[in-house]
Amino acid sequence: MLQSLNVSRLKLYDADPNVLLAFSNSNVEFIIGLGNEYLQDMTDPIKAQNWVQQHLQPHITQTKITCITVGNEVFMSNDTRLWSNLLPAMKMVYSTLVNLGLDKQVIVTSAHSFNIIGNSYPPSAGTFRQDLAEYIQAILNFHSQIKSPFLINAYPFFAYKDNPNQISLEYVLFQPNPGMTDPNTNLHYDNMLYAQVDAVYSAIKAMGHTDIEVMISETGWPSKGDPDEVGSTPENAALYHSNLLNRIQARQGTPAKPSVPIDIYVFALFNENLKPGPTSEKNYGLFYPDGTPVYNSGLQGYLPGIVYYSSASTINEWSIFSLVIFVMSVLKIT
C-alpha cells in the first residue's frame, strides 16, 4: 500500500525493527521515535549508546533514517521528572550520535503539543507558557546549537470543538472566509493553522531565537466523534485535508514566513479502533486498515492507481504502529 502511495518519507512513533527491515533498500526516509518511557534511561550514556546501537545502527546502512524524535508531547504530562529529563535525554542521544559519527546523518528533536503555547492571539504576540519557560528556553538553545527543527502538533479542530460559536468553521477548514488581521503586523490570516505556526515562531523569537525552523509534526481532523465533539464529520475531515493538500502543493509559507514552505505531517494514516479516549481519537485515519479510504481526502487524485489490500478479515482494525508518511514530496501522513 505504501509503495502504491509513492511514499518518500515515513515517521514512526517507535523504532520497530520489523518496519525498518521491511523498508531496507527502499527510497523511503525515516523518522524514528524514542518514547517517553525511555527518557530517564537516555540520560545515562551507556543506556543511550545501547539504544542507538540496538535500534538505529543495525538498520541505517540499508534504511534511510534521518531523524530521532526524543519523547512526544512530554509537557502534556504532569510528571515534572519527564520535563526535567527531556533535554538531558536529547543531548545524550545527540552526543551518542556524535561519538558514533552519525550526527551529520541523523538529527535529534522532540515533538510538542500546541498546549505549550500560553498565548497565541494575535500570532505576533505568541508566547510559551510561563511554567514551561525555563525548560523551553534551554531546549531552544539546544535546537539552535545543533540546527534541528522545533516540532509542534497543531490541531485547529480542538479550538473549533471547544468554541464553535466563536470560531468560524470556514476559518479552520481553509474555506473562503474574512479571516483576521494581526493588529501588530497587519498580516492577514485566512486560516487558523498558519496563525498557530506563526504564534510558535513569535514565541521562539521572544526567547531570542530566529534561526529555528518550526515543523508541524501532527495535524488532522477526525471523521467521527462523540456528540460533544462538534465538527467531527467525514465531510469536514475531507475539506480539511483536501484544502490543506492544495496549500502544501502550492508550497505556501505562513504570512510571517512567506518564503518558507511549511513542513506538515498529517495525522493519521489509519483509524485506530482500540485507541483509548473519545471517539474522535479512534477516527483520525485517512484509511481503513484494508487500505480503502475513509473519505475522499483528495489524495487519490494525486496518486497513480492505488492498489488496496483487502485482508480486513485477518487484521485487527487499528494501527499497530503509528506512522507519518510523506506523499510525493508534498504531503506527510501519520
Side-chain angles (χ1 to χ4, degrees):
M1 177 184 175
L2 292 173
Q3 286 177 334
S4 72
L5 288 170
N6 286 339
V7 171
S8 63
R9 297 187 197 178
L10 188 151
K11 178 179 181 292
L12 299 177
Y13 285 93
D14 56 19
D16 190 318
N18 296 313
V19 179
L20 296 174
L21 185 62
F23 282 85
S24 294
N25 303 312
S26 71
N27 291 319
V28 178
E29 291 184 10
F30 271 85
I31 295 176
I32 59 174
L34 199 157
N36 296 349
E37 68 273 17
Y38 291 104
L39 292 186
Q40 184 170 350
D41 283 350
M42 290 306 102
T43 63
D44 181 315
I46 301 299
K47 291 179 179 178
Q49 182 170 311
N50 287 342
W51 190 93
V52 170
Q53 290 180 326
Q54 291 173 20
H55 296 89
L56 175 67
Q57 276 197 303
H59 305 285
I60 198 165
T61 56
Q62 293 181 306
T63 304
K64 297 179 180 178
I65 301 171
T66 59
C67 177
I68 299 174
T69 53
V70 179
N72 184 64
E73 297 191 338
V74 167
F75 297 113
M76 286 290 283
S77 164
N78 292 322
D79 186 351
T80 54
R81 289 174 301 175
L82 274 182
W83 298 10
S84 298
N85 284 331
L86 176 56
L87 181 57
M90 292 172 69
K91 287 183 173 180
M92 192 61 70
V93 170
Y94 178 73
S95 296
T96 301
L97 294 177
V98 171
N99 293 338
L100 296 172
L102 296 172
D103 56 300
K104 299 294 188 289
Q105 199 172 340
V106 182
I107 62 173
V108 174
T109 186
S110 185
H112 304 281
S113 164
F114 192 74
N115 178 260
I116 66 173
I117 297 296
N119 179 65
S120 61
Y121 183 86
S124 61
T127 55
F128 291 108
R129 280 168 35 194
Q130 276 303 113
D131 61 320
L132 302 178
E134 62 177 301
Y135 301 98
I136 299 294
Q137 179 72 73
I139 288 170
L140 290 174
N141 294 344
F142 182 61
H143 279 297
S144 178
Q145 174 193 336
I146 67 171
K147 308 301 180 190
S148 68
F150 188 83
L151 274 54
I152 198 82
N153 299 338
Y155 289 88
F157 166 72
F158 294 147
Y160 176 75
K161 173 181 70 73
D162 293 340
N163 298 283
N165 295 323
Q166 298 177 2
I167 296 174
S168 160
L169 182 61
E170 289 75 20
Y171 182 62
V172 293
L173 292 179
F174 306 95
Q175 292 286 85
N177 70 95
M180 59 81 67
T181 299
D182 188 312
N184 299 323
T185 62
N186 285 325
L187 294 175
H188 185 73
Y189 291 84
D190 65 358
N191 70 87
M192 179 176 284
L193 187 66
Y194 287 12
Q196 290 181 330
V197 173
D198 279 351
V200 177
Y201 271 118
S202 295
I204 292 174
K205 185 177 181 180
M207 288 196 161
H209 292 286
T210 57
D211 58 345
I212 299 171
E213 177 192 356
V214 174
M215 179 189 298
I216 299 179
S217 41
E218 289 182 23
T219 191
W221 197 283
S223 59
K224 188 187 297 183
D226 293 321
D228 63 341
E229 295 186 296
V230 182
S232 51
T233 68
E235 293 79 14
N236 287 341
L239 280 172
Y240 186 81
H241 291 106
S242 60
N243 287 337
L244 178 60
L245 179 60
N246 290 334
R247 302 269 182 149
I248 297 171
Q249 192 193 35
R251 297 185 59 78
Q252 284 188 350
T254 65
K257 297 273 186 178
S259 61
V260 182
I262 313 179
D263 212 353
I264 298 177
Y265 289 82
V266 176
F267 184 90
L269 182 61
F270 297 115
N271 275 347
E272 304 173 90
N273 75 337
L274 298 184
K275 192 173 183 179
T279 299
S280 64
E281 289 295 318
K282 303 171 176 62
N283 291 280
Y284 274 91
L286 300 180
F287 296 93
Y288 295 108
D290 65 355
T292 57
V294 177
Y295 51 84
N296 181 8
S297 63
L299 276 178
Q300 291 80 357
Y302 293 88
L303 302 171
I306 296 178
V307 178
Y308 295 120
Y309 296 91
S310 49
S311 54
S313 60
T314 59
I315 57 175
N316 203 9
E317 192 172 326
W318 71 310
S319 58
I320 299 171
F321 49 88
S322 298
L323 44 105
V324 176
I325 63 175
F326 187 95
V327 180
M328 299 179 68
S329 301
V330 172
L331 178 65
K332 298 171 190 162
I333 307 174
T334 308

